[in-house]
Amino acid sequence: MGPGTTWYIAVAAVLFGIGTTGVILRRSPLIVLLSLEIMLNASNLALVGFSRHFGSVDGQIFAICVMAVAAAEVVVGLGLIVAFTRRGMSLDVDTVTELRG
């Protein structure tokens, strides 16, 4: 017998809190992206935990969709970071106000 749904939700809440703290406190865009990934993985864990609790696969299917969105978010975010670095722009999240073409 494995851990119950309460443990899954508790770990997901802790991970989501860590990710939220990272997004709020850090200024590096790479750390912000990593914190967003932690938050998305926490939501995936909660979805899978509830899916296991209710005995359906709907939460697991939705978690796979969230993983696809997270992969797209990483690609776009890392592309922006590389573009900022090549142009010699500041990588401080607070100083970047608009994207110029």
Coordinates of all heavy atoms in Angstrom, one line a residue:
M1 N 0.9 -1.2 0.0 CA 0.0 0.0 0.0 C 0.9 1.2 0.0 O 1.8 1.4 0.8 CB -0.9 -0.1 1.2 CG -1.8 1.1 1.3 SD -3.5 0.3 1.2 CE -4.4 1.8 1.1
G2 N 0.7 2.1 -0.9 CA 1.5 3.3 -1.1 C 0.9 4.5 -0.3 O 0.0 4.3 0.5
P3 N 1.5 5.6 -0.5 CA 1.1 6.8 0.2 C -0.3 7.2 -0.3 O -0.7 7.0 -1.4 CB 2.1 7.8 -0.1 CG 2.8 7.4 -1.4 CD 2.7 5.9 -1.3
G4 N -1.1 7.8 0.6 CA -2.4 8.2 0.3 C -2.4 9.5 -0.5 O -1.4 10.2 -0.7
T5 N -3.6 9.9 -0.9 CA -3.8 11.2 -1.7 C -3.3 12.4 -0.9 O -2.8 13.3 -1.5 CB -5.3 11.3 -2.0 OG1 -5.7 10.1 -2.7 CG2 -5.5 12.5 -3.0
T6 N -3.5 12.3 0.4 CA -3.1 13.5 1.3 C -1.6 13.8 1.1 O -1.2 14.9 1.0 CB -3.4 13.2 2.7 OG1 -4.8 12.8 2.8 CG2 -3.1 14.4 3.6
W7 N -0.8 12.7 1.0 CA 0.7 12.9 0.9 C 1.0 13.5 -0.5 O 1.9 14.4 -0.6 CB 1.4 11.6 1.1 CG 1.4 11.2 2.5 CD1 0.6 10.2 3.1 CD2 2.2 11.7 3.6 NE1 0.9 10.1 4.4 CE2 1.8 11.0 4.7 CE3 3.1 12.7 3.6 CZ2 2.4 11.3 6.0 CZ3 3.7 13.0 4.9 CH2 3.3 12.3 6.0
Y8 N 0.3 13.1 -1.5 CA 0.5 13.6 -2.9 C 0.2 15.1 -2.9 O 1.0 15.9 -3.4 CB -0.3 12.9 -3.9 CG 0.2 11.5 -4.3 CD1 -0.5 10.4 -3.9 CD2 1.3 11.4 -5.0 CE1 -0.1 9.2 -4.2 CE2 1.8 10.1 -5.4 CZ 1.1 9.0 -5.0 OH 1.5 7.8 -5.3
I9 N -0.9 15.5 -2.3 CA -1.3 16.9 -2.3 C -0.4 17.7 -1.4 O -0.1 18.9 -1.7 CB -2.8 17.0 -1.8 CG1 -3.7 16.2 -2.8 CG2 -3.3 18.4 -1.8 CD1 -3.5 16.5 -4.2
A10 N 0.0 17.2 -0.3 CA 0.9 17.9 0.6 C 2.3 18.2 -0.1 O 2.8 19.3 -0.1 CB 1.2 17.1 1.9
V11 N 2.8 17.2 -0.8 CA 4.1 17.4 -1.5 C 3.9 18.4 -2.6 O 4.7 19.2 -2.9 CB 4.7 16.0 -2.0 CG1 5.8 16.3 -2.9 CG2 5.1 15.2 -0.8
A12 N 2.7 18.3 -3.3 CA 2.5 19.2 -4.4 C 2.3 20.6 -3.9 O 2.8 21.6 -4.5 CB 1.2 18.8 -5.1
A13 N 1.7 20.8 -2.7 CA 1.6 22.2 -2.2 C 3.0 22.7 -1.8 O 3.2 23.9 -2.0 CB 0.7 22.1 -0.9
V14 N 3.8 21.9 -1.2 CA 5.2 22.4 -0.8 C 6.0 22.7 -2.1 O 6.6 23.8 -2.1 CB 5.9 21.3 0.0 CG1 7.4 21.6 0.1 CG2 5.3 21.1 1.3
L15 N 5.9 21.9 -3.1 CA 6.6 22.2 -4.4 C 6.1 23.5 -5.0 O 6.8 24.3 -5.5 CB 6.5 21.1 -5.4 CG 7.3 19.9 -5.1 CD1 7.0 18.7 -6.1 CD2 8.8 20.2 -5.2
F16 N 4.7 23.7 -5.0 CA 4.1 24.9 -5.6 C 4.6 26.1 -4.8 O 4.9 27.2 -5.4 CB 2.6 24.7 -5.6 CG 2.0 25.7 -6.5 CD1 1.8 25.5 -7.8 CD2 1.5 26.9 -6.0 CE1 1.3 26.4 -8.7 CE2 0.9 27.9 -6.9 CZ 0.8 27.6 -8.2
G17 N 4.7 26.0 -3.5 CA 5.1 27.1 -2.6 C 6.6 27.5 -2.9 O 6.9 28.6 -3.0
I18 N 7.4 26.5 -3.1 CA 8.8 26.7 -3.4 C 8.9 27.4 -4.8 O 9.7 28.4 -5.0 CB 9.6 25.4 -3.4 CG1 9.8 24.9 -2.0 CG2 11.0 25.6 -4.1 CD1 10.3 23.4 -1.9
G19 N 8.2 26.9 -5.8 CA 8.2 27.6 -7.1 C 7.7 29.0 -7.0 O 8.2 29.9 -7.7
T20 N 6.6 29.2 -6.3 CA 6.1 30.6 -6.2 C 7.1 31.5 -5.5 O 7.3 32.7 -6.0 CB 4.8 30.6 -5.3 OG1 3.9 29.7 -5.9 CG2 4.2 32.0 -5.2
T21 N 7.8 31.0 -4.5 CA 8.8 31.8 -3.9 C 9.9 32.2 -4.8 O 10.4 33.3 -4.9 CB 9.4 31.1 -2.6 OG1 8.3 30.7 -1.8 CG2 10.4 31.9 -1.9
G22 N 10.3 31.2 -5.6 CA 11.4 31.4 -6.6 C 11.0 32.5 -7.7 O 11.8 33.3 -8.1
V23 N 9.7 32.4 -8.1 CA 9.2 33.4 -9.1 C 9.2 34.8 -8.5 O 9.6 35.8 -9.2 CB 7.8 33.0 -9.7 CG1 7.2 34.1 -10.5 CG2 8.0 31.7 -10.5
I24 N 8.8 34.9 -7.3 CA 8.6 36.2 -6.7 C 9.9 36.8 -6.3 O 10.2 38.0 -6.5 CB 7.7 36.1 -5.4 CG1 6.3 35.8 -5.9 CG2 7.7 37.4 -4.6 CD1 5.3 35.5 -4.8
L25 N 10.9 36.0 -5.8 CA 12.1 36.6 -5.2 C 13.3 36.7 -6.2 O 14.1 37.6 -6.0 CB 12.5 35.8 -4.0 CG 11.6 35.8 -2.8 CD1 12.1 34.9 -1.7 CD2 11.3 37.2 -2.3
R26 N 13.3 35.9 -7.2 CA 14.5 35.9 -8.0 C 14.3 36.8 -9.2 O 13.2 37.1 -9.6 CB 14.8 34.5 -8.6 CG 15.1 33.5 -7.5 CD 16.4 33.8 -6.8 NE 16.7 32.9 -5.8 CZ 17.8 32.8 -5.2 NH1 18.8 33.6 -5.6 NH2 18.0 31.9 -4.3
R27 N 15.5 37.3 -9.7 CA 15.5 38.2 -10.9 C 16.0 37.6 -12.1 O 15.9 38.2 -13.2 CB 16.2 39.5 -10.5 CG 15.6 40.3 -9.5 CD 16.3 41.6 -9.2 NE 15.5 42.4 -8.4 CZ 15.9 43.6 -8.0 NH1 17.0 44.1 -8.3 NH2 15.1 44.3 -7.2
S28 N 16.7 36.5 -12.0 CA 17.3 35.9 -13.2 C 16.2 35.2 -14.0 O 15.4 34.4 -13.4 CB 18.3 34.9 -12.8 OG 18.7 34.1 -13.9
P29 N 16.1 35.4 -15.3 CA 15.0 34.7 -16.0 C 15.1 33.2 -16.1 O 14.1 32.5 -16.1 CB 15.1 35.3 -17.4 CG 16.4 36.0 -17.5 CD 16.8 36.3 -16.1
L30 N 16.4 32.7 -16.0 CA 16.5 31.3 -15.9 C 16.0 30.7 -14.7 O 15.3 29.6 -14.7 CB 18.0 30.9 -16.1 CG 18.4 29.4 -16.3 CD1 17.7 28.9 -17.5 CD2 19.9 29.3 -16.4
I31 N 16.2 31.3 -13.5 CA 15.7 30.8 -12.3 C 14.2 30.9 -12.2 O 13.5 30.1 -11.7 CB 16.3 31.6 -11.1 CG1 17.8 31.4 -11.1 CG2 15.7 31.2 -9.8 CD1 18.3 30.0 -10.9
V32 N 13.6 32.0 -12.8 CA 12.2 32.2 -12.9 C 11.6 31.0 -13.8 O 10.5 30.5 -13.4 CB 11.8 33.5 -13.5 CG1 10.3 33.6 -13.8 CG2 12.2 34.7 -12.5
L33 N 12.2 30.7 -14.9 CA 11.7 29.6 -15.7 C 11.8 28.2 -14.9 O 10.9 27.4 -15.0 CB 12.5 29.4 -17.0 CG 12.3 30.4 -18.1 CD1 13.2 30.3 -19.2 CD2 10.8 30.3 -18.5
L34 N 12.9 28.0 -14.2 CA 13.0 26.8 -13.4 C 11.9 26.8 -12.3 O 11.3 25.7 -12.0 CB 14.4 26.7 -12.8 CG 15.5 26.4 -13.7 CD1 16.8 26.5 -13.0 CD2 15.3 25.0 -14.4
S35 N 11.6 27.9 -11.7 CA 10.6 28.0 -10.7 C 9.2 27.7 -11.3 O 8.4 27.0 -10.7 CB 10.6 29.3 -10.0 OG 11.8 29.5 -9.3
L36 N 9.0 28.2 -12.5 CA 7.7 27.9 -13.2 C 7.6 26.4 -13.4 O 6.5 25.9 -13.3 CB 7.6 28.7 -14.4 CG 7.3 30.2 -14.3 CD1 7.4 30.9 -15.6 CD2 5.9 30.4 -13.7
E37 N 8.7 25.8 -13.8 CA 8.7 24.4 -14.1 C 8.3 23.6 -12.8 O 7.6 22.6 -12.8 CB 10.0 23.9 -14.6 CG 10.2 24.3 -16.0 CD 9.2 23.6 -17.0 OE1 8.9 22.4 -16.8 OE2 8.8 24.3 -17.9
I38 N 8.9 24.0 -11.7 CA 8.5 23.4 -10.4 C 7.1 23.5 -10.1 O 6.4 22.6 -9.6 CB 9.4 24.0 -9.2 CG1 10.9 23.6 -9.4 CG2 8.9 23.5 -7.9 CD1 11.8 24.2 -8.4
M39 N 6.5 24.7 -10.4 CA 5.1 24.9 -10.1 C 4.2 24.0 -11.0 O 3.2 23.5 -10.6 CB 4.7 26.4 -10.3 CG 5.3 27.3 -9.3 SD 5.2 29.0 -9.7 CE 3.4 29.3 -9.7
L40 N 4.6 23.9 -12.3 CA 3.9 23.0 -13.2 C 4.0 21.6 -12.8 O 3.0 20.8 -12.9 CB 4.4 23.2 -14.7 CG 3.9 24.5 -15.3 CD1 4.7 24.7 -16.6 CD2 2.5 24.6 -15.5
N41 N 5.1 21.1 -12.4 CA 5.3 19.8 -11.9 C 4.5 19.5 -10.6 O 4.0 18.4 -10.4 CB 6.8 19.4 -11.7 CG 7.5 19.2 -13.0 OD1 6.9 18.8 -13.9 ND2 8.8 19.6 -13.0
A42 N 4.3 20.5 -9.8 CA 3.5 20.4 -8.6 C 2.0 20.2 -9.0 O 1.3 19.4 -8.4 CB 3.6 21.6 -7.7
S43 N 1.6 20.9 -10.0 CA 0.2 20.8 -10.4 C 0.0 19.4 -11.1 O -1.0 18.7 -10.9 CB -0.2 21.9 -11.4 OG 0.6 21.8 -12.6
N44 N 1.0 18.9 -11.8 CA 1.0 17.6 -12.4 C 0.9 16.5 -11.3 O 0.1 15.5 -11.4 CB 2.2 17.3 -13.2 CG 2.1 17.9 -14.6 OD1 1.1 18.3 -15.0 ND2 3.3 18.1 -15.2
L45 N 1.6 16.7 -10.2 CA 1.6 15.7 -9.1 C 0.2 15.7 -8.4 O -0.3 14.7 -8.1 CB 2.7 16.1 -8.1 CG 2.8 15.1 -6.9 CD1 3.1 13.7 -7.3 CD2 3.8 15.6 -5.9
A46 N -0.4 16.9 -8.3 CA -1.7 17.0 -7.7 C -2.8 16.3 -8.6 O -3.7 15.6 -8.2 CB -2.1 18.4 -7.5
L47 N -2.6 16.6 -10.0 CA -3.5 15.9 -10.9 C -3.4 14.4 -10.9 O -4.5 13.7 -10.9 CB -3.2 16.4 -12.3 CG -3.7 17.8 -12.7 CD1 -3.1 18.3 -14.0 CD2 -5.2 17.9 -12.7
V48 N -2.2 13.9 -10.8 CA -2.0 12.4 -10.8 C -2.5 11.9 -9.4 O -3.1 10.8 -9.4 CB -0.6 12.1 -11.0 CG1 -0.3 10.6 -10.8 CG2 -0.2 12.4 -12.5
G49 N -2.3 12.6 -8.4 CA -2.8 12.2 -7.0 C -4.3 12.1 -7.0 O -4.9 11.1 -6.5
F50 N -5.0 13.1 -7.5 CA -6.4 13.1 -7.6 C -6.9 12.0 -8.5 O -8.0 11.4 -8.3 CB -7.0 14.4 -7.9 CG -7.1 15.4 -6.8 CD1 -6.5 16.6 -6.8 CD2 -7.7 15.0 -5.6 CE1 -6.5 17.5 -5.8 CE2 -7.7 15.9 -4.5 CZ -7.1 17.2 -4.6
S51 N -6.2 11.8 -9.6 CA -6.6 10.8 -10.6 C -6.6 9.4 -9.9 O -7.4 8.6 -10.2 CB -5.7 10.9 -11.8 OG -6.0 9.8 -12.7
R52 N -5.5 9.2 -9.2 CA -5.4 7.9 -8.5 C -6.4 7.7 -7.4 O -7.0 6.7 -7.2 CB -4.0 7.9 -7.8 CG -3.7 6.6 -7.1 CD -2.3 6.6 -6.6 NE -2.0 5.3 -5.9 CZ -1.7 5.2 -4.6 NH1 -1.5 6.3 -3.9 NH2 -1.5 4.1 -4.1
H53 N -6.8 8.8 -6.7 CA -7.8 8.8 -5.7 C -9.2 8.4 -6.2 O -9.9 7.6 -5.7 CB -7.9 10.1 -4.9 CG -8.9 10.2 -3.9 ND1 -8.8 9.5 -2.7 CD2 -10.1 10.9 -3.9 CE1 -9.9 9.8 -2.0 NE2 -10.7 10.6 -2.7
F54 N -9.5 9.0 -7.4 CA -10.8 8.8 -8.0 C -10.9 7.6 -8.9 O -11.9 7.3 -9.4 CB -11.3 10.1 -8.7 CG -11.7 11.2 -7.7 CD1 -10.9 12.4 -7.8 CD2 -12.6 11.0 -6.8 CE1 -11.2 13.4 -6.9 CE2 -12.9 12.1 -5.9 CZ -12.2 13.2 -5.9
G55 N -9.7 7.0 -9.2 CA -9.7 5.8 -10.0 C -9.9 6.1 -11.5 O -10.4 5.2 -12.2
S56 N -9.7 7.2 -12.0 CA -9.8 7.5 -13.4 C -8.5 8.0 -14.0 O -7.6 8.3 -13.3 CB -10.9 8.6 -13.7 OG -10.4 9.8 -13.2
V57 N -8.4 8.0 -15.3 CA -7.2 8.4 -16.0 C -7.3 9.8 -16.5 O -6.3 10.3 -17.2 CB -6.8 7.4 -17.1 CG1 -6.5 6.1 -16.6 CG2 -7.9 7.4 -18.2
D58 N -8.3 10.5 -16.2 CA -8.5 11.9 -16.7 C -7.4 12.8 -16.2 O -6.9 13.6 -17.0 CB -9.9 12.5 -16.3 CG -11.0 11.7 -17.0 OD1 -10.8 11.0 -18.0 OD2 -12.1 11.8 -16.4
G59 N -7.0 12.7 -14.9 CA -6.0 13.6 -14.4 C -4.6 13.3 -15.0 O -3.8 14.2 -15.2
Q60 N -4.4 12.0 -15.3 CA -3.1 11.7 -15.9 C -3.0 12.2 -17.4 O -2.0 12.6 -17.8 CB -2.9 10.2 -15.9 CG -2.8 9.7 -14.4 CD -2.7 8.2 -14.4 OE1 -2.7 7.5 -15.4 NE2 -2.7 7.6 -13.2
I61 N -4.1 12.1 -18.1 CA -4.1 12.7 -19.5 C -3.9 14.2 -19.4 O -3.2 14.7 -20.2 CB -5.5 12.3 -20.2 CG1 -5.5 10.8 -20.4 CG2 -5.6 13.0 -21.5 CD1 -6.8 10.2 -20.8
F62 N -4.6 14.8 -18.5 CA -4.4 16.3 -18.4 C -3.0 16.6 -18.0 O -2.4 17.7 -18.4 CB -5.4 16.9 -17.4 CG -5.6 18.3 -17.5 CD1 -6.1 18.9 -18.6 CD2 -5.2 19.1 -16.5 CE1 -6.2 20.3 -18.7 CE2 -5.3 20.5 -16.5 CZ -5.8 21.1 -17.7
A63 N -2.4 15.8 -17.1 CA -1.0 16.1 -16.7 C 0.0 15.9 -17.9 O 0.9 16.7 -18.1 CB -0.6 15.1 -15.7
I64 N -0.3 15.0 -18.9 CA 0.5 14.9 -20.1 C 0.3 16.2 -20.9 O 1.3 16.7 -21.5 CB 0.1 13.7 -20.9 CG1 0.6 12.4 -20.1 CG2 0.7 13.7 -22.3 CD1 0.1 11.1 -20.7
C65 N -0.9 16.7 -21.0 CA -1.1 18.0 -21.7 C -0.3 19.1 -21.1 O 0.3 20.0 -21.8 CB -2.6 18.3 -21.8 SG -3.5 17.1 -22.8
V66 N -0.3 19.2 -19.7 CA 0.4 20.2 -19.0 C 1.9 20.1 -19.3 O 2.7 21.1 -19.4 CB 0.1 20.2 -17.5 CG1 1.0 21.1 -16.7 CG2 -1.3 20.5 -17.3
M67 N 2.4 18.8 -19.4 CA 3.8 18.6 -19.7 C 4.2 19.2 -21.1 O 5.3 19.7 -21.3 CB 4.2 17.1 -19.6 CG 4.3 16.6 -18.3 SD 4.8 14.9 -18.3 CE 4.1 14.3 -16.8
A68 N 3.3 19.0 -22.1 CA 3.5 19.6 -23.4 C 3.6 21.1 -23.4 O 4.4 21.7 -24.0 CB 2.4 19.1 -24.4
V69 N 2.7 21.7 -22.6 CA 2.7 23.2 -22.5 C 4.0 23.6 -21.8 O 4.6 24.6 -22.2 CB 1.4 23.6 -21.7 CG1 1.5 25.1 -21.4 CG2 0.2 23.4 -22.6
A70 N 4.4 22.9 -20.8 CA 5.6 23.2 -20.1 C 6.9 23.1 -21.0 O 7.8 24.0 -21.0 CB 5.8 22.3 -18.9
A71 N 6.9 22.1 -21.9 CA 8.0 22.0 -22.8 C 8.0 23.2 -23.8 O 9.1 23.7 -24.1 CB 7.9 20.7 -23.6
A72 N 6.8 23.6 -24.3 CA 6.8 24.8 -25.2 C 7.2 26.0 -24.4 O 7.9 26.9 -25.0 CB 5.4 24.9 -25.7
E73 N 6.8 26.1 -23.2 CA 7.2 27.3 -22.4 C 8.7 27.4 -22.2 O 9.3 28.5 -22.3 CB 6.5 27.3 -21.0 CG 6.9 28.3 -20.1 CD 7.8 27.8 -18.9 OE1 7.7 26.6 -18.6 OE2 8.5 28.7 -18.4
V74 N 9.4 26.3 -22.0 CA 10.8 26.2 -21.9 C 11.5 26.6 -23.2 O 12.5 27.4 -23.1 CB 11.3 24.8 -21.4 CG1 12.8 24.7 -21.6 CG2 10.9 24.6 -20.0
V75 N 11.0 26.1 -24.3 CA 11.6 26.5 -25.6 C 11.5 28.0 -25.8 O 12.5 28.6 -26.2 CB 10.9 25.7 -26.7 CG1 11.3 26.2 -28.1 CG2 11.3 24.2 -26.6
V76 N 10.4 28.6 -25.6 CA 10.2 30.0 -25.9 C 11.1 30.8 -24.9 O 11.8 31.8 -25.2 CB 8.7 30.4 -25.8 CG1 8.6 31.9 -25.8 CG2 8.0 29.8 -26.9
G77 N 11.1 30.4 -23.6 CA 11.8 31.1 -22.6 C 13.3 31.1 -22.8 O 14.0 32.1 -22.7
L78 N 13.8 29.9 -23.1 CA 15.3 29.8 -23.4 C 15.7 30.5 -24.7 O 16.7 31.1 -24.8 CB 15.7 28.3 -23.5 CG 15.7 27.6 -22.1 CD1 16.0 26.1 -22.3 CD2 16.6 28.2 -21.1
G79 N 14.8 30.5 -25.7 CA 15.0 31.3 -26.9 C 15.1 32.8 -26.6 O 16.0 33.5 -27.1
L80 N 14.3 33.3 -25.7 CA 14.3 34.7 -25.3 C 15.6 35.0 -24.5 O 16.2 36.1 -24.8 CB 13.1 35.1 -24.4 CG 11.8 35.3 -25.2 CD1 10.7 35.4 -24.2 CD2 11.9 36.4 -26.1
I81 N 16.0 34.1 -23.7 CA 17.3 34.3 -22.9 C 18.5 34.4 -23.9 O 19.3 35.2 -23.7 CB 17.4 33.2 -21.8 CG1 16.4 33.4 -20.7 CG2 18.8 33.2 -21.2 CD1 16.3 32.3 -19.8
V82 N 18.5 33.5 -24.8 CA 19.6 33.5 -25.8 C 19.6 34.7 -26.6 O 20.6 35.3 -26.9 CB 19.5 32.2 -26.7 CG1 20.5 32.3 -27.9 CG2 19.8 31.0 -25.9
A83 N 18.4 35.2 -27.0 CA 18.3 36.4 -27.8 C 18.8 37.6 -27.0 O 19.5 38.5 -27.5 CB 16.9 36.7 -28.3
F84 N 18.4 37.7 -25.7 CA 18.8 38.8 -24.8 C 20.4 38.8 -24.7 O 21.0 39.8 -24.7 CB 18.2 38.7 -23.5 CG 16.7 39.1 -23.5 CD1 15.9 38.7 -22.5 CD2 16.2 39.9 -24.5 CE1 14.6 39.1 -22.4 CE2 14.9 40.3 -24.5 CZ 14.1 39.9 -23.5
T85 N 20.9 37.6 -24.5 CA 22.4 37.5 -24.3 C 23.1 37.9 -25.6 O 24.1 38.6 -25.5 CB 22.7 36.0 -23.9 OG1 22.0 35.7 -22.8 CG2 24.2 35.9 -23.6
R86 N 22.6 37.5 -26.7 CA 23.3 37.9 -28.0 C 23.3 39.3 -28.2 O 24.2 39.9 -28.8 CB 22.7 37.1 -29.1 CG 23.1 35.7 -29.2 CD 22.6 35.1 -30.5 NE 23.0 33.7 -30.6 CZ 22.5 32.8 -31.5 NH1 21.7 33.3 -32.4 NH2 23.0 31.6 -31.5
R87 N 22.2 40.0 -27.9 CA 22.1 41.5 -28.1 C 22.8 42.3 -27.0 O 22.8 43.5 -27.1 CB 20.7 41.9 -28.1 CG 20.0 41.4 -29.4 CD 18.6 41.9 -29.4 NE 18.0 41.6 -30.7 CZ 17.2 42.4 -31.3 NH1 16.9 43.6 -30.8 NH2 16.7 42.1 -32.5
G88 N 23.3 41.6 -25.9 CA 24.0 42.3 -24.9 C 23.0 43.0 -23.9 O 23.4 43.9 -23.2
M89 N 21.7 42.6 -23.9 CA 20.8 43.2 -23.0 C 20.9 42.6 -21.6 O 21.4 41.5 -21.4 CB 19.3 42.9 -23.6 CG 19.1 43.6 -24.9 SD 17.5 43.1 -25.6 CE 16.4 44.0 -24.5
S90 N 20.3 43.3 -20.7 CA 20.4 42.9 -19.3 C 19.5 41.7 -19.1 O 18.4 41.6 -19.7 CB 19.9 44.0 -18.4 OG 19.8 43.6 -17.1
L91 N 19.9 40.7 -18.3 CA 19.1 39.6 -18.0 C 18.4 39.7 -16.7 O 18.0 38.7 -16.1 CB 20.0 38.3 -18.0 CG 20.4 37.8 -19.4 CD1 21.3 36.6 -19.2 CD2 19.3 37.5 -20.3
D92 N 18.1 40.9 -16.3 CA 17.4 41.2 -15.0 C 15.9 41.3 -15.4 O 15.5 42.1 -16.3 CB 17.9 42.5 -14.4 CG 17.3 42.7 -13.0 OD1 16.6 41.8 -12.5 OD2 17.5 43.8 -12.4
V93 N 15.0 40.5 -14.8 CA 13.6 40.5 -15.1 C 13.0 41.8 -14.9 O 12.1 42.2 -15.6 CB 12.9 39.4 -14.3 CG1 11.4 39.4 -14.5 CG2 13.5 38.0 -14.6
D94 N 13.4 42.6 -13.9 CA 12.8 43.8 -13.5 C 13.1 44.9 -14.5 O 12.4 45.9 -14.7 CB 13.2 44.3 -12.1 CG 12.7 43.4 -11.0 OD1 11.6 42.8 -11.3 OD2 13.3 43.3 -10.0
T95 N 14.3 44.9 -15.2 CA 14.7 45.9 -16.1 C 14.1 45.7 -17.5 O 14.0 46.6 -18.3 CB 16.2 46.0 -16.2 OG1 16.7 44.8 -16.7 CG2 16.8 46.4 -14.9
V96 N 13.7 44.5 -17.9 CA 13.2 44.2 -19.2 C 11.7 44.6 -19.2 O 10.9 44.0 -18.5 CB 13.3 42.7 -19.6 CG1 12.7 42.4 -20.9 CG2 14.8 42.3 -19.6
T97 N 11.4 45.7 -19.9 CA 10.0 46.2 -19.9 C 9.3 45.9 -21.2 O 8.1 45.7 -21.2 CB 10.0 47.7 -19.6 OG1 10.8 48.3 -20.6 CG2 10.5 48.0 -18.3
E98 N 10.0 45.8 -22.3 CA 9.4 45.5 -23.6 C 10.3 44.8 -24.5 O 11.5 44.9 -24.3 CB 8.8 46.8 -24.2 CG 9.9 47.8 -24.6 CD 9.3 49.0 -25.2 OE1 8.5 49.7 -24.6 OE2 9.7 49.3 -26.4
L99 N 9.8 44.1 -25.4 CA 10.6 43.4 -26.4 C 10.6 44.3 -27.7 O 9.6 44.7 -28.2 CB 10.0 42.0 -26.7 CG 10.0 41.1 -25.6 CD1 9.3 39.8 -26.0 CD2 11.4 40.7 -25.1
R100 N 11.8 44.6 -28.2 CA 11.9 45.4 -29.4 C 12.5 44.5 -30.5 O 13.3 43.7 -30.3 CB 12.9 46.5 -29.1 CG 12.4 47.4 -28.1 CD 13.4 48.5 -27.9 NE 13.1 49.1 -26.6 CZ 14.0 49.8 -25.8 NH1 15.2 49.9 -26.2 NH2 13.6 50.3 -24.7
G101 N 11.9 44.7 -31.7 CA 12.3 43.9 -32.8 C 13.5 44.4 -33.6 O 14.1 45.3 -33.4

